[in-house]
């Protein structure tokens, strides 16, 4: 009974993912189906970054770097793995999907390790300093990826090459072309819904509240026995893991090329914007912001060269007019039971009554 | 030996440009504690305005009078100073005291706005352009077999001159004292009768004008101007921000030190190790410095009072 | 007498040239309620920061139940049984009143991250127990009916009491209260002093209290230590301290002692 309760939301995630593929997607054309995948990937990115920026209150603006790490790791595995298994890098449903799943999980783990490596030393830094270090890390990743060797595409060469050689043959500045297109709506939303279950369960448990306490007041949190460094690192690692997964989804998506330039600081900024627009710490807000901000540029496509100008102006006015984001820190489902707010009566400490 | 000198000259020239831009970041950070991501776009605008002025005046080639450079420089500084003023007024002031991430995102918004507005055909367009040569790149004189072109000399002289001017402004004038008061604490400064809004406006004007000067000098030294939304501009800006952080953010002298350090590290790394890793050197220095001295080289550590 | 529960000896800390605390010693026996008083800026809060590991002592020792705490990080000190409140209130402002206390209760929880993500039966049971414990604490502080409010929206006096409730959530052996009555009106102060006495007996905690209100301190404390400029100038029962000329001088020399 208890165990059913433990896994049922995850089963629900699988079911919903299939509903998205076979119930929702057929209502749209190919163009919108790709948008649906983009939305799903952005949901994974925004909700995972929200664990760091929104839950633990750490200021990371290098999320795309973890996406790149995971994407490249997973891409290398499916691409070169496919040559070893199938003799080519085409999509082979069934076995190939298993390879893709394994590659995606490995990609997530590699990104998580990167998250740990970056997180552990840099979490000594606070606020903007941490931000600038995460950004610097992202730039280093980008440059290093740009320096990798050309992708190999001859079966004989690949089978003869060592793992080390293959791990460096990632396409350099031109990007990692030729990856098989495994990313489907099912896969995308399976990961998106799984992450949502995890995020919600985290937020409503003692462990999750420990993250939030770090955000709210680090000194008080540690005085209450919370090991703040540990929770910050956890947030970083968990978020990096899912960023890596999103990277793999992105890498194997039709119509995208895994390219270091695509995954630079601009992409990181895009994700931060989703988190802040959704309201720091609000999971549903992050989801909604991911949807809106994926669709918005599409709707503005008509406006051609004015598109990004309008986007920029919307962003600025949003920050000025609704600084707390769409829902503030709350969730959609909490909106109706607005806690009754008594007048704050904060006197400065020490002032006499 | 010649290579060493050449690299040193390049490092100092680029480093002083970085320092000029870093000053804008550091002044805004010192006063409002936020990373003004749009600062790199002011720098970009400064370079492009210089291009527009020089183009409109038809200046080009070796026989251009020296005052043409001066006019271009001042025109660009004035324009960007005004731009900085307007941006602070419209975008940042309403957010004074808002959470940091909000201000950061507003700055990103302003940055996107400037880049994409700049790309409009009526303004700078979407194509790279070549800055007309206002200053000769013929070697002015030679030291140890290395030619020193007029451009480099002007870059360093103007940068150093402006920094000295700023130093004087911040440490020896009433306004400078007000700036330091505001950066110490906005509420305290306003209780002491400092007009905080004016000081903040002034900071943006000065910082933006310095960035414009750097833009002009940059365009002189590297005449191939990328289009406004090209990522080189932001990357340059980031390096300058890194310079400010490495030197100790909020610290005017730190920005100068950081700029020179980053410029030299980049140039020496590129010359002696590998050119393609130059950005890696810069960001590695950043991470190293912050890990060992989290407030930057000249920054003072502050302990949060509990 | 038996071994003291909290044994502090020779504690010193200087901020640059400023000697904030010099050679501070204190013995706190189980179940006692002692007060730490002294003019504004005397170094009282700094002593709390030293005890809880927010600052590292430059000299001296802190022992809790015989265990040396020096150099341990704050969260380990909390785990070993020392909890505190803050003079400048540090609640988790954007979280509810209940969540503030539940976070403190998390210290004694055992289920980890994975059981939280899997919602194992053990985790579910523990969450329920924590909620119950937190609500019971809020009940004691008459905050139970406001448990769903964001803590930053509470009135000032309630915020101070919530800080105490939260500290108790960690099941401390020693509770450090930093000016819990600051900014309260006389009735609130009386209620608070009764509450402190009640809490002390109900939860069996040993209390060290920083407070400026002499009447309050005299009424409820067994022993008082007076410090000035970081130096202990008197220590003893309320009556002994009251008549001590050094104490009178310290206070007369600092008429603004009512401040923070
Ligand atoms: N982090 C710090 N850095 C520098 N000085 C400090 C710091 N914390 C406290 N002080 C100084 O130490 C002295 C004692 O402060 P405190 O312990 O807060 O006094 P109080 O007895 O009023 O609680 C004061 O002079 C205060 O300014
Ligand atoms: Mg105090």
């Amino acid at each position: 009974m208890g165990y059913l309760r433990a896994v049922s939301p995850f089963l629900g995630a699988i079911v919903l993912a299939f509903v998205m593929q076979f119930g929702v997607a057929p209502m749209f054309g190919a163009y919108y189906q790709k948008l649906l995948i983009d939305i799903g990937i952005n949901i994974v990115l925004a909700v995972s970054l929200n664990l760091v920026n929104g839950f633990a209150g750490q200021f990371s603006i290098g999320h795309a770097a973890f996406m790149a790490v995971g994407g490249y790791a997973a891409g290398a595995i499916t691409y070169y793995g496919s040559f070893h298994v199938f003799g080519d890098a085409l999509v082979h449903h069934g076995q190939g999907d298993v390879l893709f799943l394994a590659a995606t999980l490995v990609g997530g783990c590699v990104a998580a390790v990167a998250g740990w490596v970056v997180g552990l030393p840099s979490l000594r830094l606070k606020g903007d300093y941490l931000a600038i270090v995460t950004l610097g890390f992202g730039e280093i990743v980008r440059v290093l990826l740009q320096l990798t060797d050309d992708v190999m595409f001859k079966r004989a060469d690949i089978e003869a090459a060592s793992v080390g050689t293959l791990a460096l043959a990632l396409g350099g500045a031109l990007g990692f072309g030729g990856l098989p297109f495994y990313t489907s709506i099912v896969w995308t939303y399976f990961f998106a819904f799984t992450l949502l279950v995890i995020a919600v369960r985290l937020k409503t448990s003692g462990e999750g509240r420990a993250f939030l306490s770090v955000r709210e007041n680090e000194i008080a949190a540690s005085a209450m026995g919370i090991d703040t460094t540990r929770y910050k690192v956890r947030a970083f690692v968990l978020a990096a893991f899912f960023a890596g997964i999103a990277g793999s989804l992105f890498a194997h998506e039709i119509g995208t090329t895994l390219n270091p330039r695509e995954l630079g600081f601009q992409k990181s900024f895009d994700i931060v914007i989703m988190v802040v627009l959704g309201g720091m710490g609000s999971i549903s807000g992050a989801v909604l912001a991911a949807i809106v901000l994926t669709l918005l540029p599409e709707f503005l496509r008509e406006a051609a060269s004015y598109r990004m100008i309008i986007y920029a102006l919307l962003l600025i006015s949003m920050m000025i007019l609704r600084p707390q984001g769409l829902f503030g820190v709350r969730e959609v489902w909490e909106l109706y039971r607005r806690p009754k707010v008594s007048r704050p009566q904060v006197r400065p400490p020490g002032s006499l009554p | 030996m010649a290579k060493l000198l050449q690299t040193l000259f390049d490092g100092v020239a680029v480093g002083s440009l970085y320092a000029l831009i870093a000053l804008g970041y550091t002044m805004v950070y010192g006063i409002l504690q936020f990373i003004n991501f749009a600062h790199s776009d002011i720098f970009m605008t400064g370079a492009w305005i210089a291009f527009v002025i020089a183009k409109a005046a038809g200046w080009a080639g070796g026989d251009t009078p020296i005052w043409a450079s001066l006019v271009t420089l001042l025109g660009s500084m004035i324009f960007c100073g005004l731009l900085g003023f307007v941006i602070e007024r419209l975008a940042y002031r309403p957010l004074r005291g808002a959470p940091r991430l909000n201000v950061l995102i507003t700055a990103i918004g302003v940055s996107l706005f400037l880049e994409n507005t700049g790309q409009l055909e009526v303004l700078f367009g979407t194509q790279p352009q070549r800055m007309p040569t206002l200053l000769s790149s013929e070697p002015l004189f030679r030291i140890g077999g290395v030619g020193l072109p007029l451009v480099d000399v002007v870059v360093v002289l103007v940068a150093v001159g402006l920094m000295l001017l700023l130093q004087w402004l911040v440490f020896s004038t009433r306004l400078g004292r007000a700036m330091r008061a505001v950066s110490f604490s906005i509420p305290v400064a306003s209780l002491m009768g400092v007009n905080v809004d004016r000081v903040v406006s002034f900071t943006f004007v000065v910082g933006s004008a310095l960035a414009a000067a750097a833009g002009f000098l940059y365009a002189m030294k590297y005449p191939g101007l990328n289009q406004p939304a090209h990522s080189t501009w932001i990357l340059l800006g980031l390096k300058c921000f890194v310079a400010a952080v490495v030197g100790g953010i909020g610290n005017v002298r730190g920005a100068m030190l950081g700029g020179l350090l980053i410029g030299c590290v980049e140039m020496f790394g590129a010359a002696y190790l590998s050119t393609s890793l130059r950005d890696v050197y810069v960001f590695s220095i950043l991470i190293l410095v912050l890990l060992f001295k989290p407030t930057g080289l000249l920054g003072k550590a502050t302990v949060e009072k509990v | 007498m038996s071994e003291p529960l909290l044994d502090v000896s020779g504690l010193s800390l200087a901020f640059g040239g400023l000697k904030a605390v010099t050679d501070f010693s204190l013995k706190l026996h189980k179940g006692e309620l002692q007060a730490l008083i002294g003019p504004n800026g005397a170094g009282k809060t700094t002593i709390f920061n030293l005890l809880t590991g927010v600052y590292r002592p430059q000299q001296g020792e802190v022992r809790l139940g015989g265990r040396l705490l020096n150099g341990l990080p704050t969260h380990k000190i909390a785990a070993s049984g020392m909890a505190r409140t803050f003079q400048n209130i540090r609640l988790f402002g954007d979280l509810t009143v209940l969540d503030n206390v539940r976070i403190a209760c998390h210290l004694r929880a055992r289920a980890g991250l994975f059981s939280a993500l899997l919602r194992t039966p053990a985790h579910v049971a523990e969450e329920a127990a924590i909620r119950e414990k937190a609500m019971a604490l809020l009940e004691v502080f008459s905050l139970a009916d406001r448990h769903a409010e964001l803590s930053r929206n509470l009135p000032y006096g309630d915020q101070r009491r919530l800080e105490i409730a939260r500290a108790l959530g960690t099941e401390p052996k020693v509770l450090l209260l930093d000016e819990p009555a600051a900014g309260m009106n006389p009735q609130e102060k009386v209620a608070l002093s009764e509450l402190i006495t009640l809490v002390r007996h109900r939860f069996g905690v040993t209390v060290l209290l920083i407070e400026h209100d002499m009447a309050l301190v005299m009424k409820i404390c067994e022993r008082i230590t007076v410090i000035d400029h970081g130096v202990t100038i008197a220590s003893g029962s309320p009556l002994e301290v009251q008549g001590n000329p050094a104490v009178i001088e310290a206070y007369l020399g600092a008429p603004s002692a009512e401040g923070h």
Side-chain angles (χ1 to χ4, degrees):
Chain A
M1 175 58 213
Y3 287 100
L4 187 63
R5 184 165 155 187
V7 295
S8 57
F10 292 110
L11 297 178
I14 298 176
V15 172
L16 274 178
F18 276 99
V19 170
M20 289 299 291
Q21 173 86 62
F22 298 107
V24 178
M27 296 193 284
F28 302 103
Y31 173 75
Y32 286 99
Q33 293 195 2
K34 173 166 162 49
L35 261 184
L36 218 50
I37 293 182
D38 288 342
I39 289 176
I41 294 176
N42 280 336
I43 288 177
V44 175
L45 289 169
V47 173
S48 60
L49 183 62
N50 193 31
L51 297 177
V52 174
N53 282 16
F55 280 27
Q58 300 306 300
F59 197 171
S60 164
I61 48 177
H63 210 46
F66 299 117
M67 189 184 173
V69 169
Y72 271 87
I77 293 173
T78 45
Y79 183 80
Y80 293 119
S82 283
F83 273 102
H84 278 281
V85 181
F86 308 115
D88 57 38
L90 302 175
V91 175
H92 296 267
H93 278 301
Q95 258 189 312
D97 279 308
V98 176
L99 179 65
F100 168 68
L101 176 63
T104 303
L105 294 176
V106 172
C109 291
V110 175
V113 171
W116 185 74
V117 170
V118 183
L120 205 54
S122 45
L123 287 174
R124 285 176 52 211
L125 302 169
K126 294 233 155 68
D128 298 340
Y129 287 101
L130 176 61
I132 201 76
V133 165
T134 56
L135 197 138
F137 164 71
E139 282 306 288
I140 291 176
V141 167
R142 179 183 62 78
V143 176
L144 292 182
L145 284 174
Q146 282 178 345
L147 293 177
T148 53
D149 302 327
D150 289 345
V151 176
M152 292 190 216
F153 48 87
K154 289 211 190 82
R155 184 177 178 182
D157 293 352
I158 291 170
E159 284 176 351
S162 69
V163 175
T165 316
L166 292 181
L168 288 179
L170 302 176
L174 293 176
F176 197 159
L179 296 179
F181 302 131
Y182 279 110
T183 302
S184 60
I185 291 182
V186 174
W187 279 127
T188 308
Y189 282 88
F190 165 68
F191 285 114
F193 289 134
T194 303
L195 172 59
L196 283 175
V197 173
I198 288 179
V200 171
R201 284 192 159 179
L202 199 58
K203 198 177 180 185
T204 52
S205 71
E207 286 289 303
R209 286 189 293 270
F211 284 97
L212 300 180
S213 73
V214 175
R215 170 191 80 192
E216 290 293 309
N217 194 319
E218 227 174 280
I219 288 173
S222 53
M224 296 307 130
I226 306 283
D227 182 349
T228 52
T229 309
R230 178 156 139 209
Y231 281 97
K232 288 189 220 167
V233 172
R234 277 187 177 184
F236 248 83
V237 169
L238 200 59
F241 176 78
F242 277 98
I245 291 207
S248 172
L249 292 170
F250 176 82
H252 298 89
E253 186 186 358
I254 291 184
T256 58
T257 320
L258 190 57
N259 186 318
R261 224 172 325 122
E262 292 264 323
L263 302 178
F265 54 83
Q266 255 115 357
K267 181 71 188 172
S268 293
F269 287 173
D270 287 349
I271 311 168
V272 173
I273 289 170
M274 289 176 196
V275 171
V276 175
L277 200 67
M280 301 287 284
S282 170
I283 301 164
S284 38
V287 172
L288 194 67
I291 297 173
V292 169
L293 289 181
T294 316
L295 293 179
L296 189 65
E298 302 300 321
F299 288 133
L300 292 177
R301 209 171 270 285
E302 303 278 297
S305 56
Y306 291 96
R307 178 170 83 136
M308 286 312 283
I309 302 177
I310 298 174
Y311 176 75
L313 288 176
L314 282 176
L315 208 58
I316 298 170
S317 20
M318 182 75 191
M319 286 302 117
I320 293 174
L321 299 177
R322 202 165 167 76
Q324 72 277 40
L326 295 172
F327 308 131
V329 293
R330 276 173 297 164
E331 301 294 345
V332 183
W333 55 87
E334 291 170 346
L335 287 179
Y336 71 98
R337 57 176 160 99
R338 192 175 283 272
K340 72 177 187 311
V341 175
S342 58
R343 201 164 47 83
Q345 306 180 353
V346 181
R347 277 179 239 149
S351 66
L352 292 174
Chain B
M1 182 61 198
K3 186 178 178 190
L4 184 78
L5 264 183
Q6 181 67 56
T7 315
L8 188 66
F9 290 157
D10 282 344
V12 170
V14 172
S16 21
L17 283 183
Y18 286 175
L20 268 188
I21 306 170
L23 284 169
Y25 282 110
T26 227
M27 288 197 303
V28 169
Y29 195 93
I31 286 190
L32 297 174
Q33 279 82 45
F34 92 93
I35 307 174
N36 182 12
F37 265 106
H39 194 62
S40 59
D41 301 283
I42 302 274
F43 163 65
M44 173 276 290
T45 310
W48 274 93
I49 291 288
F51 166 78
V52 169
I53 294 176
K55 197 86 178 173
W59 290 319
D63 53 346
T64 319
I66 193 86
W67 56 262
S69 300
L70 207 61
V71 169
T72 316
L73 172 67
L74 286 179
S76 175
M77 284 177 76
I78 291 171
F79 181 89
C80 288
L82 286 175
L83 187 62
F85 176 81
V86 172
I87 290 172
E88 192 275 326
R89 230 13 205 291
L90 296 182
Y92 298 149
R93 189 167 299 179
L95 280 164
R96 191 110 22 103
R100 295 217 182 159
L101 264 180
N102 286 64
V103 190
L104 178 85
I105 287 183
T106 309
I108 295 173
V110 172
S111 162
L112 283 175
F113 179 81
L114 291 178
E115 283 168 19
N116 291 285
T117 313
Q119 298 248 62
L120 291 177
E121 287 307 326
V122 291
L123 291 167
F124 313 134
T126 53
Q127 297 305 313
Q129 297 283 357
R130 195 161 183 85
M131 180 76 190
T133 316
L134 299 183
L135 296 169
S136 152
S137 54
E138 292 293 301
L140 199 61
F141 48 84
R142 296 185 164 274
I143 304 174
V146 181
L148 207 57
L150 181 62
V151 183
D152 283 13
V153 176
V154 168
V155 165
V156 174
L157 285 185
V158 173
V160 170
L162 286 172
M163 284 187 256
L164 289 178
L165 195 68
L166 182 76
Q167 183 83 8
W168 170 79
L169 190 82
V170 172
F171 291 99
S172 316
T173 64
R174 260 181 72 97
L175 203 52
R177 190 157 6 116
M179 277 171 77
R180 281 179 292 144
V182 171
S183 81
F184 179 71
S185 157
I186 289 186
V188 171
S190 59
L191 280 178
M192 296 300 163
V194 174
N195 184 340
V196 174
D197 284 342
R198 244 186 53 204
V199 170
V200 173
S201 286
F202 181 73
T203 306
F204 271 88
V205 170
V206 172
S208 303
L210 291 181
F216 164 82
L217 296 172
Y218 180 81
M220 296 283 92
K221 189 161 167 53
Y222 304 103
L225 291 188
N226 276 310
Q227 64 272 32
H230 197 277
S231 61
T232 42
W233 296 109
I234 296 205
L235 196 59
L236 267 166
L238 283 180
K239 282 186 198 165
C240 301
F241 182 71
V242 165
V245 173
V246 164
I249 193 127
N251 184 316
V252 169
R253 292 181 190 125
M256 301 178 193
L257 176 68
L260 286 176
L261 181 69
I262 293 291
C264 288
V265 165
E266 186 179 348
M267 286 303 158
F268 275 95
Y272 288 91
L273 298 169
S274 152
T275 320
S276 42
L277 285 174
R278 54 203 293 168
D279 297 346
V280 173
Y281 309 137
V282 171
F283 288 105
S284 309
I285 286 282
L286 166 81
I287 293 173
L288 277 180
V289 168
L290 285 189
L291 287 183
F292 291 104
K293 191 142 188 329
T295 46
L297 294 175
L298 300 186
K300 275 199 213 67
T302 52
V303 183
E304 187 178 358
K305 269 202 187 182
V306 179
Chain C
M1 230 184 215
S2 63
E3 276 281 288
L5 177 60
L6 179 67
D7 190 351
V8 184
S9 58
L11 214 55
S12 300
L13 179 76
F15 295 111
L18 176 82
K19 287 186 177 167
V21 176
T22 312
D23 197 20
F24 175 79
S25 300
L26 179 92
K27 290 193 194 321
L28 199 56
H29 290 272
K30 187 165 183 342
E32 256 186 324
L33 196 171
Q34 289 201 23
L36 197 57
I37 66 171
N40 199 5
K44 306 178 297 294
T45 300
T46 305
I47 289 173
F48 273 19
N49 287 334
L50 288 170
L51 295 183
T52 52
V54 175
Y55 300 152
R56 261 166 190 254
Q58 286 157 345
Q59 267 162 36
E61 278 186 5
V62 180
R63 284 178 187 277
L64 182 65
R67 183 171 167 221
L68 189 65
L69 297 186
N70 288 45
L72 287 185
T74 305
H75 65 93
K76 292 232 168 92
I77 292 181
S80 72
M82 185 122 65
R84 71 178 288 185
T85 65
F86 294 91
Q87 176 181 358
N88 47 350
I89 298 176
R90 283 177 180 270
L91 289 170
F92 306 127
D94 268 335
L95 303 183
T96 64
V97 169
L98 177 63
D99 281 348
N100 268 270
V101 182
R102 282 202 284 194
I103 285 167
C105 297
H106 186 63
L107 175 57
R108 306 291 169 206
R110 275 181 315 275
L113 184 60
F114 282 98
S115 46
L117 296 185
L118 289 175
R119 286 282 138 103
T120 57
H123 167 84
V124 174
E126 193 167 59
E127 279 287 318
I130 283 180
R131 189 191 161 89
E132 206 164 303
K133 178 178 152 193
M135 284 306 287
L137 269 172
L138 289 175
E139 201 74 57
V140 174
F141 288 83
S142 328
L143 289 167
D145 52 343
R146 315 191 87 152
H147 72 273
E149 276 187 47
L150 295 188
S151 64
R152 73 174 139 80
N153 290 333
L154 287 185
Y156 187 73
D158 286 357
Q159 293 197 6
R160 285 233 175 264
R161 283 184 297 129
L162 178 57
E163 278 235 333
I164 305 177
R166 184 178 68 175
L168 287 171
T170 64
E171 299 180 12
K173 297 186 191 109
V174 175
L175 177 62
L176 310 175
L177 300 176
D178 197 345
E179 303 199 19
M184 288 186 172
N185 64 33
Q187 293 99 300
E188 286 175 316
K189 281 188 183 179
V190 171
L192 181 79
S193 68
E194 283 163 7
L195 194 61
I196 292 175
T197 312
L198 170 92
V199 158
R200 178 186 169 198
H201 294 121
R202 161 99 65 111
F203 298 93
V205 287
T206 306
V207 182
L208 183 60
L209 169 75
I210 295 177
E211 187 44 66
H212 276 303
D213 190 315
M214 277 301 219
L216 191 155
V217 169
M218 295 285 163
K219 202 172 76 189
I220 63 174
C221 294
E222 278 99 56
R223 240 185 115 78
I224 297 178
T225 302
V226 190
I227 58 170
D228 189 20
H229 297 297
V231 181
T232 308
I233 56 171
S235 171
S237 70
L239 274 178
E240 285 165 9
V241 165
Q242 210 169 15
N244 188 317
V247 177
I248 295 167
E249 202 202 303
Y251 271 87
L252 287 181
S256 67
E258 274 289 298
H260 52 116

